[in-house]
Amino acid sequence: MKSIALFTAVIRITLITALISSTVIANAQNVAVNTTGSAADASAMLDVSSTSKGFLAPRMTTIQRTGISAPANGLMVFDTDTKTYWYFSTTWKEIANAGGGGGGFSLPYSGSSTDAGKLFSLTNNAATSGATALYGRASSTGSGASPIYSMGVWGDNSTGVGVLGTSGNIGVIGQSTDAASGTGVLGSGSNGVYGQSTKENGAGIYGYAGGISSSLSKAAFFTNTNYSNTNPVVEIANYGTGNNNLLIQNTNSSSNSGLLKMKNAGNGAFMQLLDEANDVKAAIYKNGNINTDGNIYAQGDLYVNGLKGIVRSTYSNQMRMELMNVTVPGGFHFVVPSGGFGEVFISTQDITVTFNTPFDQVPAVYRANLSSGDVRLESMGWRIYDVTTTGFKITISPNPSMDFISTNAVFKFVAVGYDD
């Protein structure tokens, strides 16, 4: 009897101590557990509050958790194997361990919010090659690429697109604040940067260097560091019906810079023009300095300004030069009237010459050298007259000290004039 009385006394002391240290206030609506005696919040069935202690959920292994019979939606436990909280909603779902590094979202995940800052932010403090803040892969195997840069975002795909930006305005924009050597968008691989636009006046890739004070900034920069690569650094293909595959335009009327500049440290040509069979039809080679000696090499004819020959720009019009081969027919007998032949033959030769393409203004015409034929024709009297925009006439008169029967000859003539 004494033992029972002692045990009952101990139980009473324990209950009194618990009530003193923690107040449980209950009514028909809700329950509050606290040390202040505050009533439970009207919206809560159970209101537990403390400034020194936490709420300890049921703890169990993964096998025990998954072995719960008919778990209710909303049931939550702590899994001692995964060291994470789990809740049940049709199936068990893990609440990620945000601080442990290795937790993750339950997939599929979708969310939305309105915030002037960053809705989702990841920071990787490592700056070594391959270090990535956010990695997204769209295939089970990946591309197998090993990046040589540290990245904020790495999009990986074995066959498709690594990173795709779609927008009614700008799909992807790359911005650099390094005025000396910064790069907005850097592409590497078989198709380093691929841009596509379906808008009438859109641009697949648009480079913009405005707002940067440095004079060395570039809207676009392409480079090839593989010395064994024989493919072009930039390839432009036009599958449409437009007149231009490449348009270089300067809209700054006060600019004196050239639209196209080429620097060549190698031994190849500055520019080559090829046909569909990749045969070089025209080229500007490194040993031909156009600024000093005007060397332009062409396979075939080089036509300028509507088949009008060589054209050089001037302030008000264009100067054109045309070189012509004029044939002097043979069979004419040039004689001295008092010669020893005892007869008089035709003593002059008249020839009409037509320009290949008419001049816009009457040109100046000059006889050049004998190309082929009897050299004695060079000592004859030559008269060029009736020069028009379409041609001229020639009269060849005999030399008083020479008589002979001429043979076919070819003389070169030069016409120099202006075209509007």
Side-chain angles (χ1 to χ4, degrees):
M1 293 295 294
K2 291 183 179 180
S3 298
I4 295 175
L6 179 61
F7 175 76
T8 303
V10 172
I11 293 297
R12 289 176 179 175
I13 294 172
T14 301
L15 290 175
I16 293 172
T17 302
L19 290 174
I20 294 174
S21 60
S22 177
T23 302
V24 178
I25 301 175
N27 55 41
Q29 300 297 323
N30 44 24
V31 176
V33 180
N34 53 58
T35 60
T36 62
S38 300
D41 189 278
S43 65
M45 285 297 297
L46 175 63
D47 185 346
V48 180
S49 61
S50 174
T51 58
S52 60
K53 298 178 182 180
F55 172 77
L56 188 59
R59 291 145 290 166
M60 62 189 70
T61 65
T62 301
I63 294 178
Q64 292 170 335
R65 173 176 57 80
T66 56
I68 296 176
S69 177
N73 286 332
L75 184 67
M76 186 174 69
V77 300
F78 181 82
D79 192 312
T80 57
D81 290 333
T82 63
K83 301 297 189 293
T84 54
Y85 284 96
W86 290 75
Y87 70 94
F88 189 86
S89 177
T90 307
T91 61
W92 283 105
K93 294 180 173 59
E94 182 181 17
I95 301 176
N97 182 3
F105 289 106
S106 297
L107 299 178
Y109 174 80
S110 177
S112 63
S113 181
T114 301
D115 195 299
K118 305 177 183 67
L119 282 181
F120 188 82
S121 176
L122 293 176
T123 300
N124 186 348
N125 294 322
T128 57
S129 297
T132 307
L134 180 62
Y135 173 75
R137 189 170 71 190
S139 61
S140 60
T141 57
S143 64
S146 298
I148 60 175
Y149 302 95
S150 59
M151 298 151 289
V153 176
W154 178 11
D156 192 27
N157 197 329
S158 60
T159 57
V161 178
V163 175
L164 172 66
T166 59
S167 171
N169 185 15
I170 299 175
V172 175
I173 183 171
Q175 180 178 354
S176 172
T177 58
D178 189 340
S181 59
T183 302
V185 175
L186 174 66
S188 62
S190 58
N191 291 305
V193 176
Y194 178 81
Q196 180 183 14
S197 174
T198 57
K199 296 179 66 176
E200 182 177 354
N201 295 317
I205 297 177
Y206 179 80
Y208 177 69
I212 301 176
S213 59
S214 173
S215 60
L216 300 178
S217 62
K218 303 176 181 67
F221 179 76
F222 301 92
T223 182
N224 173 29
T225 58
N226 182 2
Y227 294 149
S228 62
N229 181 27
T230 59
N231 293 322
V233 177
V234 178
E235 181 174 348
I236 300 173
N238 182 9
Y239 299 103
T241 58
N243 295 325
N244 302 300
N245 283 345
L246 175 63
L247 173 63
I248 302 176
Q249 183 177 359
N250 178 19
T251 58
N252 184 359
S253 59
S254 62
S255 173
N256 296 320
S257 300
L259 285 180
L260 179 63
K261 293 181 180 180
M262 298 182 183
K263 293 183 179 180
N264 186 2
N267 298 317
F270 279 104
M271 182 173 66
Q272 290 181 334
L273 306 180
L274 290 74
D275 60 11
E276 289 184 309
N278 288 326
D279 292 333
V280 179
K281 295 301 182 182
I284 300 177
Y285 293 100
K286 187 178 179 182
N287 60 351
N289 190 337
I290 302 175
N291 191 45
T292 57
D293 56 30
N295 288 345
I296 300 179
Y297 301 90
Q299 177 180 332
D301 297 329
L302 181 64
Y303 298 107
V304 183
N305 195 16
L307 307 182
K308 292 183 179 180
I310 300 175
V311 177
R312 181 177 65 85
S313 295
T314 62
Y315 289 103
S316 60
N317 45 36
Q318 297 194 0
M319 184 176 71
R320 171 182 152 210
M321 179 183 297
E322 182 174 336
L323 178 64
M324 297 158 288
N325 291 321
V326 177
T327 300
V328 179
F332 287 88
H333 192 176
F334 292 94
V335 299
V336 180
S338 58
F341 289 95
E343 54 185 329
V344 177
F345 292 87
I346 298 175
S347 59
T348 60
Q349 172 82 279
D350 294 319
I351 302 173
T352 299
V353 181
T354 303
F355 299 129
N356 292 328
T357 305
F359 283 81
D360 292 331
Q361 301 179 32
V362 177
V365 179
Y366 305 92
R367 179 175 69 88
N369 57 293
L370 175 69
S371 179
S372 63
D374 198 323
V375 296
R376 290 178 293 182
L377 284 173
E378 289 186 320
S379 63
M380 298 292 104
W382 290 79
R383 176 172 174 256
I384 302 172
Y385 64 102
D386 285 351
V387 180
T388 67
T389 58
T390 60
F392 59 94
K393 294 180 181 179
I394 304 170
T395 294
I396 308 174
S397 302
N399 188 328
S401 63
M402 183 183 301
D403 48 25
F404 68 98
I405 297 177
S406 68
T407 58
N408 288 345
V410 177
F411 275 86
K412 291 187 179 297
F413 280 75
V414 178
V416 180
Y418 289 110
D419 280 330
D420 297 332

